Amino acid sequence: MSTRFPNINPNSLHFSHFFFTIFSICLYLTPIITNSRTIRTITSPSHLSDDSSTTYLWPLPSEFTSGNETLTVNPYLSISGSGNGGNSVIVRDAFARYKSIIFKHVGRSKFSDLDYDVGKVNVIVHSSDEELQLGVDESYTLLIAKSNGLSIIGEVTIEANTVYGALRGLETFSQLCGFDYGTKTVQIYKAPWFIKDKPRFAFRGLLLDTSRHYYPIEIIKQIIESMSYAKLNVLHWHIIDEQSFPLEVPAYPKLWKGAYTKWERYTVEDASEIVNFAKMRGINVMAEIDVPGHAESWGTGYPDLWPSSSCREPLDVSKNFTFEVLSGILQDMRDIFPFELFHLGGDEVNTDCWKYTPHVKQWLQERNMTEKDAYQYFVIKGQEIAISKNWTPVNWEETFNTFAEKLNPKTVVHNWLGPGVCPKAVAQGFKCIYSNQGVWYLDHLDVQWDGFYDAEPLEGITDSTEQKLVIGGEVCMWSETADPSNVQQTIWPRAAAAAERLWTSKEAAPISNTSETALTRLQYFRCLLTRRGVQASPVTNFYARSPPSGPGSCYDQ
């Protein structure tokens, strides 16, 4: 019978709940456990060395304790699942992935099987429900202790309410494992470890723009995989824009004539594969169809969607056909994307050519509408279509800035133009996603890592009820100057800085007085990414994705 931690209450994660567990460890284990939450600067990072005062975990857990013992990990490490979801395919596949990462090096160890301290990972998952939606419980506890016959727990135990919490625990465990080149073994320093962790925000996203440049599905999968290492949990897939329409839409099969070429497209099966791949890593996919602007590519297959040959966007607001096509797209996409949020864009809409197109101008006059009224009409009608298909609409902030009182109350306002929008949105009862372009746009290559790290999604919001309406934030990888050759270097490691801001509590990772320790840990995480095959750029270069300035250690760049 597996030893169990006390049940995790996601609404009340107080350290005192685990007092007797910690007391038992203190009683039976030799090392004295020291609180490692306050991190101190060291001059040169080491590979999770046992004499390091820095905790090399990213994002940093909210609460943890550690000791001073080094444990060896058996290369034949096994998993034991229990609870209603402990034997889930999601958990077992994740364990296999992390095992291949942990034991990437192969060497002739001097240890026999009996000499290893850690040989099993016990995973306890209470719920069998694998539905992945906004706010799914991602909390977990992780205990790593030497199995010496005295400990009442022993070895490695991850406990979570859901399989997605277990995934986060496995990621943390993998970061605690390091290969020792002297003994040719995988070791865990500063054991025993006790970690109790949960995300600060439910929505921790990365936008990927596949319209300005096409990304093969294998590249998208690589990006999703790397997102899981930083505990990001939403891929905002900006699939379509004015430049190209690469997605297959069975209801309107000519739409993807708007792709750059016939080789730069995504089939329905491709999109479903990406969604399923992401789910196995605890990542939702939020699709975006940006309307009524940013939609010129729609008319390549269906020219009637253009107001005229010289007015190709915004889409023709005067025709029922426009909304029939939009409804058909959303219906087909509903079969692919189960996530409850759907992004309808609504940004940067220049309505000038509507008033210069005779039939649109007439339509406006007959309804006594201005172009601004028509913009509002289009956005609201798009929201109604999305809601009818059981989606919660997300719109860029221009819609809120222009006609907040007309938006559906379910609307999630997506900030991007600058600071101050989320405070206004939540004050009016809307939910908000923070993506201030001044600090969280990855294509802004002159925004360094600390700009990403020091950004605060709750800036200017003091009321606790309103703070809860900020569901999280998102870094944005617009692709005007990025493609498969440099996208990972542009994303990482700066996206990780935002990921910690979104995951870790402010108490555990305050913005003030943490630059040096955060930098040391981020440099280590960047090297961890490169060891895992992610082409992450040096942390400290002035311009993102630029190469190293000269010879040197990965840990000093």
Side-chain angles (χ1 to χ4, degrees):
M1 184 175 182
S2 299
T3 305
R4 293 167 53 88
F5 292 132
N7 286 343
I8 307 170
N9 181 349
N11 298 317
S12 179
L13 291 175
H14 296 295
F15 203 66
S16 59
H17 287 185
F18 292 86
F19 171 79
F20 290 108
T21 302
I22 297 300
F23 178 78
S24 299
I25 299 169
C26 292
L27 181 65
Y28 288 110
L29 293 179
T30 302
I32 298 174
I33 300 176
T34 57
N35 193 331
S36 301
R37 197 160 117 188
T38 302
I39 320 169
R40 298 180 298 279
T41 305
I42 59 172
T43 54
S44 60
S46 60
H47 189 94
L48 287 176
S49 62
D50 51 359
D51 61 349
S52 169
S53 60
T54 299
T55 299
Y56 290 108
L57 291 173
W58 198 283
L60 195 68
S62 294
E63 299 181 54
F64 58 92
T65 60
S66 62
N68 56 15
E69 202 172 66
T70 298
L71 307 182
T72 56
V73 185
N74 195 320
Y76 296 103
L77 185 71
S78 63
I79 182 174
S80 174
S82 61
N84 293 321
N87 288 302
S88 163
V89 172
I90 292 176
V91 173
R92 291 195 169 271
D93 282 4
F95 176 77
R97 290 196 304 273
Y98 283 114
K99 186 176 178 181
S100 67
I101 290 172
I102 292 168
F103 296 102
K104 187 176 293 289
H105 290 283
V106 177
R108 290 179 59 85
S109 169
K110 62 184 181 182
F111 292 89
S112 68
D113 285 350
L114 297 177
D115 292 328
Y116 290 102
D117 300 309
V118 174
K120 183 189 295 183
V121 176
N122 303 297
V123 179
I124 306 166
V125 178
H126 296 299
S127 174
S128 60
D129 186 359
E130 296 179 356
E131 184 179 8
L132 182 60
Q133 287 294 352
L134 182 68
V136 69
D137 189 344
E138 297 174 89
S139 64
Y140 67 92
T141 58
L142 169 63
L143 183 109
I144 301 174
K146 185 175 182 179
S147 180
N148 57 10
L150 296 176
S151 170
I152 62 169
I153 303 278
E155 303 208 334
V156 177
T157 301
I158 296 170
E159 183 169 15
N161 284 330
T162 70
V163 293
Y164 305 109
L167 295 187
R168 308 307 175 220
L170 285 167
E171 172 59 40
T172 301
F173 170 68
S174 74
Q175 292 188 22
L176 290 171
C177 296
F179 184 75
D180 182 84
Y181 286 84
T183 61
K184 297 183 180 179
T185 59
V186 171
Q187 299 185 353
I188 300 172
Y189 298 104
K190 298 167 67 176
W193 284 91
F194 180 78
I195 296 172
K196 184 158 73 73
D197 203 9
K198 64 173 182 176
R200 182 184 175 201
F201 291 100
F203 185 107
R204 307 180 306 281
L206 167 70
L207 178 148
L208 182 65
D209 167 18
T210 61
S211 172
R212 274 56 177 253
H213 280 101
Y214 174 83
Y215 295 90
I217 59 172
E218 288 306 314
I219 299 295
I220 297 176
K221 287 181 178 180
Q222 290 169 17
I223 292 170
I224 291 170
E225 192 80 66
S226 64
M227 288 173 64
S228 70
Y229 301 152
K231 297 187 172 73
L232 293 173
N233 71 343
V234 178
L235 175 70
H236 174 178
W237 191 1
H238 187 88
I239 310 175
I240 297 155
D241 212 290
E242 62 190 72
Q243 289 82 3
S244 72
F245 195 118
L247 181 67
E248 178 186 18
V249 178
Y252 292 92
K254 295 180 182 179
L255 280 169
W256 69 351
K257 286 187 175 182
Y260 284 124
T261 67
K262 64 181 181 180
W263 299 285
E264 295 170 291
R265 291 173 168 175
Y266 303 106
T267 66
V268 168
E269 292 77 14
D270 290 336
S272 295
E273 184 177 344
I274 288 168
V275 170
N276 292 332
F277 183 89
K279 181 181 179 180
M280 294 296 287
R281 287 146 185 84
I283 294 172
N284 276 301
V285 180
M286 177 176 72
E288 179 179 358
I289 300 298
D290 197 347
V291 292
H294 291 279
E296 180 180 339
S297 62
W298 297 38
T300 304
Y302 295 95
D304 281 350
L305 294 170
W306 291 333
S308 71
S309 60
S310 60
C311 174
R312 297 188 171 192
E313 60 180 24
L315 295 170
D316 195 329
V317 67
S318 71
K319 293 177 182 175
N320 290 332
F321 178 64
T322 301
F323 297 100
E324 291 170 2
V325 172
L326 178 58
S327 180
I329 293 171
L330 295 188
Q331 185 59 57
D332 281 349
M333 295 181 77
R334 200 65 183 101
D335 296 332
I336 303 170
F337 300 98
F339 191 39
E340 65 195 75
L341 300 182
F342 189 90
H343 209 301
L344 289 164
D347 62 314
E348 298 182 317
V349 179
N350 184 343
T351 60
D352 286 349
C353 76
W354 276 349
K355 63 183 177 183
Y356 299 127
T357 304
H359 74 273
V360 178
K361 181 179 179 180
Q362 181 181 351
W363 183 88
L364 292 172
Q365 290 173 343
E366 289 173 353
R367 289 157 179 79
N368 196 27
M369 293 171 66
T370 66
E371 303 91 72
K372 179 181 174 181
D373 295 332
Y375 167 40
Q376 172 188 306
Y377 171 84
F378 200 116
V379 169
I380 299 305
K381 198 168 181 66
Q383 288 194 335
E384 291 171 353
I385 294 170
I387 292 169
S388 74
K389 302 183 189 305
N390 201 29
W391 258 320
T392 298
V394 183
N395 284 99
W396 293 109
E397 68 172 72
E398 286 96 326
T399 59
F400 172 80
N401 297 338
T402 309
F403 43 87
E405 70 284 354
K406 299 296 183 180
L407 291 174
N408 188 285
K410 295 180 179 180
T411 303
V412 179
V413 177
H414 194 167
N415 152 251
W416 75 277
L417 286 170
V421 174
C422 280
K424 294 176 183 177
V426 299
Q428 296 187 41
F430 292 104
K431 292 180 179 179
C432 193
I433 298 170
Y434 176 88
S435 291
N436 180 354
Q437 66 170 335
V439 289
W440 276 11
Y441 265 33
L442 292 160
D443 58 314
H444 292 195
L445 302 181
D446 58 344
V447 181
Q448 296 177 298
W449 77 271
D450 52 345
F452 282 79
Y453 192 81
D454 292 342
E456 174 48 56
L458 298 184
E459 182 181 6
I461 306 172
T462 56
D463 181 84
S464 60
T465 301
E466 293 180 357
Q467 288 179 342
K468 292 176 183 177
L469 293 175
V470 180
I471 62 175
E474 172 183 292
V475 291
C476 299
M477 183 62 262
W478 300 106
S479 294
E480 283 89 346
T481 64
D483 72 359
S485 70
N486 62 3
V487 65
Q488 290 282 52
Q489 295 97 313
T490 313
I491 294 171
W492 305 108
R494 293 179 303 157
E500 179 156 290
R501 183 60 52 223
L502 291 167
W503 176 276
T504 307
S505 69
K506 288 183 70 175
E507 293 75 20
I511 292 174
S512 60
N513 300 320
T514 60
S515 292
E516 290 301 321
T517 53
L519 175 58
T520 299
R521 291 188 302 108
L522 185 57
Q523 286 174 318
Y524 180 84
F525 184 71
R526 179 255 173 165
C527 299
L528 178 145
L529 290 174
T530 62
R531 290 197 303 272
R532 295 184 179 187
V534 180
Q535 297 169 328
S537 296
V539 177
T540 56
N541 286 1
F542 182 81
Y543 287 106
R545 78 179 178 212
S546 55
S549 56
S553 167
C554 174
Y555 300 94
D556 292 325
Q557 296 177 345

